[in-house]
Amino acid sequence: MEIAKSKGPEGFLKWDDIQKMKYTCNVANETMRLIPPVQGTFREAITDFTYAGLTIPKGWKRSQVFS
């Protein structure tokens, strides 16, 4: 309640304020884990290969975003 009172009636909470609230911060982190704002995944090259003239070394990662 101290954080909300310090903001006043028109004040907005910032991420730093939420991090000070242990339970609220845990809820926000768990929500972001379960339902990320941008859903996607990473793919990792398991071998070196060449694609369209570009050499991709083993271990490189790329993101794949689903919309």
Side-chain angles (χ1 to χ4, degrees):
M1 292 301 290
E2 297 85 26
I3 295 170
K5 288 178 184 175
S6 70
K7 292 292 180 180
E10 298 297 322
F12 294 103
L13 292 175
K14 305 279 190 229
W15 183 248
D16 292 336
D17 298 325
I18 293 173
Q19 287 180 319
K20 293 175 189 173
M21 297 184 259
K22 184 175 176 123
Y23 181 77
T24 302
C25 187
N26 288 342
V27 169
N29 288 335
E30 185 65 7
T31 301
M32 295 291 281
R33 185 185 73 83
L34 293 174
I35 308 167
V38 176
Q39 293 199 353
T41 185
F42 286 94
R43 297 284 188 164
E44 183 175 345
I46 57 173
T47 61
D48 294 344
F49 69 96
T50 302
Y51 177 77
L54 300 171
T55 301
I56 309 298
K58 177 182 177 180
W60 267 33
K61 295 180 182 172
R62 72 166 183 90
S63 63
Q64 182 175 1
V65 178
F66 306 106
S67 55

